[in-house]
Amino acid sequence: MTNIWHNAGARGKLLCLLLLAVLVATPLAADRYLLSVLILVFYFAYLGQAWNLLMGFAGQLSLGHALYLGLGAYTATALWTLFGIGPWLGVFIAIPVAAAAGMFVGWLGWRFAIEGVYFALLTIAFAEFTRIGFDHLQVTGASAGLFLSVNSPGSDKWWNLGGGPLLYYYLALILAAGATFLVAYLRQSPLGYRWLAVREDPEAARAVGIDIFRARMIAMLFSASMTAVGGVFYGFYYRNLFPSQVFDIGRSIELILAPIIGGLGTIFGPVVGALILTPLGESLTALMEALGINAPGVKLIFYGLMLMVIISLRPDGVWPWLARRLGLSGARK
Amino acid sequence: MAITLNVIVQGVLTGLVYGLMALGLSVIFGVMRVVNFAHGEFTVIAMYAAFILFEMLGLQPLIVLLPIAAAFFVVGYLLQRSLISPFVGRAEHEQFILLVGLATVIVNGLLLVFGPDARPINLPYSFDSYAIGSLFIDKVRVYAALGAFAVAAALFLFFRYTRTGTAIRACADNLTGAAVVGLDVKQLYAVTFGLGLACVGAAGTLMATIADASPSLAQAYTLLAFTIVIIGGLGSMVGALVGGVLIGVSEALAGFYIQPSMKSMFSFALLIIVLVLRPQGLLGRRL
């Protein structure tokens, strides 16, 4: 860990600490609405880190991360509503469930040399398959949804992941910051270098003795596990789950936006992407409401246009460019 | 048994329309290696086009089939020339993301303009059927399937016997060679994308007679087209039609015997099985 910190450069260290300090202090001055927007920013930064690990570092395109998000959310929520097992314990069951699903998808795909577009479609197929399955699973309420009661005893206590916006704010901040440090650590570990080798040239990586399959599987393990934790957060933050929302392909696409806009394969890309995209999207929604236009799709149209513009003009994302402007190192891909 | 046969026949007929839609995807991918992730979205645009022409001008889908296909050809041609051309040969995930962005814009644009409600086309013969022995076959499905088959056949003939078709096949087989002998690759790619979208335009118009247009169909159709093309074999034209029929029958059987809302689960299961056992697809060339 000291190694990453050491390599960050003086200006980078300063900016990092400053940003963290500002974010920790924000609730002192912010209202509920601003907090809710920032919670979303952290949430997308966190999930972006998880996805970027697999795509940005190991080079495997998954368009089905909603599967791990949904499995994490459903496992923890169902454990709480059905058996009274709290989320702090439930998360340790949610992680293996999602990780097992991820390993299965990865094993099926990479064992049989299904790569690129084919792999992406395999991930979508699994997510859709699971969505329809949950639509018919009576235990978790099928398509009518699963709800967390707000009245049952203890449901508003922090140890059951209930309470006011402050709890979710700091939890999301810890998740996003923690994930960023984890990714930075992994990036400069031997494992990280193996991922980059596999991403850049699988054949050459194999030739120098890297077990490609293993490297990809480990990336999937981390990515799916982290996404599942995000799912637990999702479940207890929104307190209602519908298969058509949690497992939807729209979820999978939504969580890849921040890393792509910010910069694939960079450490701060997902953070920067989430910081740019979420407030823009939310203010657009607020603007539409203020103007009295009922157009829920406008935010998504805007996101779609952003995707097209960024990938056409700056496929490396915003962060590498921004980092150069700010004179920061560590923006290398 | 008679009921099962009925269900299967309906599935085959619907499957041919699916197959025509997937054919468009297959042509685009087979020639340019570009993954059109907005395929279902374009299909639904065509469905709305057919719906509007029917409601406003009283024109039946089978009459506007060719005009809509022609319009889609132009759209595809221009789209390739402007937006997609720089992405040919770039990393797969970049193409994917461009088209995912386009798909998001289209589907939410449709939602904004038309709302989420399903729009049926009520043809005078919507509820007629042909009776052959114990078989009852919907008239609309027969027409839709015949239309799909005719368009697909025309496309086969085009690729087989015209100079442009041969040139496009040359680009698909050996891009460098095609460029060396002086073929205008950019132009041919634009024509290919146009042809792919013309298939989609025709398929969407026919689809509008057997399913109600709604924005929520778009993503499902995109996935359906990909499922069919992968099962049939990416780049294989016959494979797309075979895959379409296979999925049409599987959907019809699952919808009838299990539950309509679970029918696509079986398509995905088929996809997973094919990906694992034969990744190049049933009729695809070895990877």
Side-chain angles (χ1 to χ4, degrees), chain A residues 40-59:
Chain A
L40 275 183
V41 170
F42 301 149
Y43 167 79
F44 283 120
Y46 173 78
L47 289 179
Q49 293 291 13
W51 181 79
N52 195 32
L53 211 57
L54 188 62
M55 175 64 217
F57 293 154

Side-chain angles (χ1 to χ4, degrees), chain B residues 173-282:
Chain B
D173 278 346
N174 189 338
L175 185 57
T176 323
V180 165
V181 298
L183 293 178
D184 185 351
V185 174
K186 276 210 158 141
Q187 170 76 5
L188 290 171
Y189 274 4
V191 171
T192 308
F193 206 92
L195 285 173
L197 277 204
C199 281
V200 171
T205 311
L206 295 169
M207 200 84 89
T209 63
I210 54 178
D212 303 343
S214 114
S216 63
L217 285 176
Q219 255 168 18
Y221 280 161
T222 298
L223 290 179
L224 189 71
F226 271 104
T227 308
I228 290 168
V229 160
I230 290 177
I231 288 178
L234 263 174
S236 154
M237 294 179 69
V238 184
L241 287 184
V242 172
V245 169
L246 206 63
I247 288 294
V249 171
S250 132
E251 272 197 354
L253 285 175
F256 186 76
Y257 285 105
I258 298 158
Q259 224 175 48
S261 57
M262 285 176 90
K263 62 183 184 185
S264 45
M265 228 172 149
F266 289 85
S267 314
F268 291 128
L270 261 176
L271 169 69
I272 290 165
I273 292 169
V274 167
L275 273 178
V276 168
L277 297 181
R278 204 179 150 81
Q280 76 272 34
L282 297 178

Side-chain angles (χ1 to χ4, degrees), chain A residues 51 55 61 63 108 112-118 120-122 124-126 128-129 131-133 136 248-250 253 256 260 264 294-298 300-301 303-305 307-308 311-312 315-316, chain B residues 29 33 35 37 83 87 90 92-105 108-109 111-112 219 223 226 230 234 259 261-266 268-269 271-272 275-277 279-280 287:
Chain A
W51 181 79
M55 175 64 217
L61 177 59
L63 284 177
L108 257 186
F112 295 98
I114 296 167
E115 285 167 21
V117 186
Y118 292 90
L121 289 166
L122 188 71
I124 298 177
F126 268 101
E128 283 291 297
F129 187 85
R131 173 179 68 77
I132 302 168
H136 295 88
D248 187 52
I249 180 170
I253 289 170
I256 75 176
I260 289 170
L264 273 177
N294 181 27
V298 169
L300 288 167
I301 292 179
Y303 283 167
L305 286 174
L307 269 186
M308 289 164 69
I311 207 70
S312 293
D316 284 339
Chain B
F29 183 85
R33 305 273 128 191
V35 279
F37 204 71
L83 188 68
F87 280 80
R90 267 170 72 175
E92 277 174 343
H93 72 265
E94 292 182 2
Q95 305 172 348
F96 228 73
I97 288 159
L98 176 79
L99 287 153
V100 163
L102 183 63
T104 311
V105 172
N108 288 289
L111 210 53
L112 211 60
Q219 255 168 18
L223 290 179
F226 271 104
I230 290 177
L234 263 174
Q259 224 175 48
S261 57
M262 285 176 90
K263 62 183 184 185
S264 45
M265 228 172 149
F266 289 85
F268 291 128
L271 169 69
I272 290 165
L275 273 178
V276 168
L277 297 181
Q280 76 272 34
L287 285 177

Side-chain angles (χ1 to χ4, degrees), chain B residues 1 8 27 46 50 58 72 84 93 96 99 123 132 165 188 194 197 211 224 232:
Chain B
M1 196 54 224
I8 290 176
V27 165
F72 267 63
I84 298 167
H93 72 265
F96 228 73
L99 287 153
L123 293 167
I132 306 167
L188 290 171
L197 277 204
L224 189 71

